[in-house]
Amino acid sequence: MPATVVLGAQWGDEGKGKLVDRLAEGASMVARFQGGNNAGHTVVLGERVLKFHLLPSGITREDCRLVLGDGMVIDPWVLDQELQGWTAETGQEVRGHRLFISERAHIILRYHRLLDGLDTVIGTTGRGIGPTYADKINRIGVRFGDVVELLADDAALSAMAERMTASLAAGGLDEPITASSLHEDLAWVNATYASSIANTGLMLDHALSLGERIILEGAQGCLLDIDQGTYPFVTSSVTSRGNATHGAGIHPGHVDEVIGITKAYITRVGNGAMPTELEDEVGHHLGTVGHEFGTTTGRKRRCGWFDAVVMRHAQRVNGFTSLALTKLDVLGGLDTLRICVGYRLDGHDVTEMPASASALARCEPIYLDMPGFEAMTDEGWLDLARNANANGVGFAALPQAAQDYIARLEALTGVTVSSVGVGPDRDATIDRR
């Protein structure tokens, strides 16, 4: 069977974890293909709220194997904390049994976290992601598959320590990195993950050749892509469809479905322009009702109306076969819903995103207004979703104004909405039937 790619279609935090958790029920493997612990996703199982930063969402499905792919940068200490937490929660030890780390994935070291902490412009998470990718591109990084040989090469460790110390000093940080501390850290990595390090691309290829379904799980979102996002206020990896198979170590011909995840409104964390950002009562409503705080950083997310310009850009780059709309319930209780259909830039109407960050910051949204719908409790939305799926009525169970809103989003983006999230619970999702 072929592969399904799940991608964020906005600035991240769209609810990818919840969808992957649902899809993983019918998959044999879930693979992350880029990013690191600058990502975060939440899965709600009744009273249990599970927050992950590195572990793929499929961990909740006991028959599903997990892959941290070639294109990732991984902090092994953060991963160890997540694994220990999972074992304490469930009693399950997954490393070497269900969890596998690509031998080609790069390691985030203490040096990378220190260097990332010097950023005062972009608004990064400070997790060392960017500096690790920079070392990867400069061909001086450390991969999981290189650890054993590096431990036996004292000269290489000494040269690495000198370079790191000099780089930190150039940034005004007096934090010496020694060859012995590097050796100690890498020895710990080897002892902790030796059973999990594997040729994961080959594993995925074998699974596909056997007819198994795999899911390629993206992190962040299209507008944070290093090439196609709102540069320079982006992440340091390629978050889009083109990297899904490459970062997993398989070829793109395996993919038959690409699901874009988008909220019924829009959010972002960090710096950079966001044309539809709201700093009024509606913005407060979206942030409060939607519990808009970053899973990874805890930072308050900036909230705004749905931006069809952003979504058309995301669709052009990714070619979504369908959209999964999340958090429709958050719009409940608003009298009027607004959709951005274009921008006013320097006196001219534009319908596509400008590449320049300063130009995007000057864009004023052009809105289309639609009637809102009534609010419901979380329990009310959950019951509605369960009944809709059980009776096969799909979106017809939603208030008419909500159905009209979805139809307009489809018309503006040119992509069919395949499911609608109406609450945090795994079951609070209505499938189109």
Side-chain angles (χ1 to χ4, degrees):
M1 292 181 71
T4 297
V5 180
V6 177
L7 301 171
Q10 300 171 322
W11 275 287
D13 303 313
E14 301 94 349
K16 296 179 290 294
K18 177 183 173 184
L19 178 66
V20 172
D21 175 66
R22 293 184 76 223
L23 295 175
E25 184 176 17
S28 62
M29 302 180 80
V30 175
R32 275 274 307 271
F33 59 85
Q34 49 76 221
N37 58 303
N38 55 338
H41 46 257
T42 303
V43 176
V44 179
L45 306 177
E47 298 299 317
R48 296 170 65 197
V49 179
L50 307 175
K51 296 181 182 292
F52 305 122
H53 303 280
L54 286 167
L55 292 173
S57 305
I59 193 169
T60 61
R61 308 292 186 174
E62 293 186 17
D63 294 330
C64 188
R65 288 169 289 166
L66 315 169
V67 167
L68 302 183
D70 303 359
M72 288 189 67
V73 293
I74 300 168
D75 187 322
W77 293 273
V78 172
L79 178 58
D80 186 55
Q81 290 175 357
E82 288 194 26
L83 289 167
Q84 288 188 41
W86 178 255
T87 300
E89 174 84 19
T90 65
Q92 299 172 6
E93 174 57 68
V94 298
R95 50 189 121 194
H97 303 289
R98 289 180 57 208
L99 175 71
F100 300 94
I101 302 170
S102 169
E103 59 193 3
R104 298 174 185 270
H106 280 248
I107 298 173
I108 299 174
L109 297 165
R110 173 174 170 268
Y111 156 76
H112 298 114
R113 294 192 298 272
L114 290 170
L115 194 60
D116 204 14
L118 300 174
D119 168 66
T120 59
V121 177
I122 304 302
T124 74
T125 59
R127 303 299 198 265
I129 310 300
T132 308
Y133 272 117
D135 277 4
K136 173 181 177 177
I137 298 302
N138 286 326
R139 292 158 292 188
I140 52 176
V142 180
R143 304 182 303 174
F144 280 87
D146 300 329
V147 169
V148 172
E149 293 187 10
L150 202 55
L151 287 171
D153 193 338
D154 293 339
L157 288 176
S158 295
M160 188 181 299
E162 290 178 11
R163 174 182 56 78
M164 291 177 171
T165 299
S167 181
L168 293 173
L173 205 57
D174 184 20
E175 290 280 354
I177 305 293
T178 65
S180 60
S181 67
L182 280 176
H183 190 282
E184 181 180 346
D185 286 347
L186 293 175
W188 178 86
V189 170
N190 185 55
T192 306
Y193 296 105
S195 64
S196 297
I197 300 170
N199 185 341
T200 54
L202 188 61
M203 292 175 61
L204 291 166
D205 187 68
H206 282 168
L208 288 163
S209 68
L210 292 172
E212 299 177 16
R213 166 69 68 174
I214 69 168
I215 299 170
L216 304 180
E217 178 185 34
Q220 289 89 37
C222 177
L223 273 294
L224 292 176
D225 185 282
I226 187 69
D227 294 318
Q228 303 297 337
T230 49
Y231 189 89
F233 303 101
V234 294
T235 192
S236 41
S237 61
V238 176
T239 63
S240 302
R241 175 181 184 168
N243 192 38
T245 50
H246 187 77
I250 55 177
H251 67 74
H254 287 300
V255 174
D256 75 331
E257 187 176 19
V258 183
I259 304 174
I261 316 298
T262 174
K263 287 178 182 172
Y265 48 101
I266 202 164
T267 63
R268 81 173 295 179
V269 172
N271 301 332
M274 179 179 163
T276 67
E277 183 173 7
L278 298 170
E279 297 180 356
D280 56 11
E281 291 183 3
V282 174
H284 178 73
H285 169 97
L286 297 176
T288 303
V289 178
H291 306 290
E292 295 296 353
F293 296 90
T295 303
T296 297
T297 63
R299 290 182 292 182
K300 183 179 179 181
R301 295 176 184 140
R302 301 154 60 191
C303 300
W305 293 116
F306 187 95
D307 192 331
V309 182
V310 163
M311 280 303 305
R312 285 195 296 269
H313 176 81
Q315 165 61 7
R316 176 175 60 81
V317 171
N318 294 287
F320 301 124
T321 56
S322 69
L323 294 177
L325 189 70
T326 64
K327 293 198 168 184
L328 182 70
D329 56 302
V330 176
L331 298 181
L334 297 175
D335 293 333
T336 301
L337 306 180
R338 312 195 82 181
I339 304 170
C340 174
V341 295
Y343 300 146
R344 187 76 174 168
L345 173 61
D346 300 336
H348 301 282
D349 291 352
V350 297
T351 56
E352 298 297 330
M353 286 181 56
S356 163
S358 59
L360 185 63
R362 297 196 304 275
C363 286
E364 299 177 3
I366 300 171
Y367 285 120
L368 167 72
D369 289 352
M370 298 190 68
F373 49 89
E374 292 185 1
M376 285 193 281
T377 64
D378 284 351
E379 292 75 16
W381 283 112
L382 180 58
D383 287 343
L384 184 148
R386 284 172 170 164
N387 290 332
N389 290 331
N391 296 320
V393 298
F395 298 172
L398 292 166
Q400 186 60 52
Q403 295 181 50
D404 294 342
Y405 183 74
I406 295 168
R408 185 56 62 91
L409 296 187
E410 290 178 322
L412 289 168
T413 61
V415 192
T416 299
V417 173
S418 56
S419 67
V420 173
V422 291
D425 194 274
R426 174 191 279 174
D427 293 334
T429 300
I430 302 173
D431 294 315
R432 174 171 229 136
R433 290 201 173 100

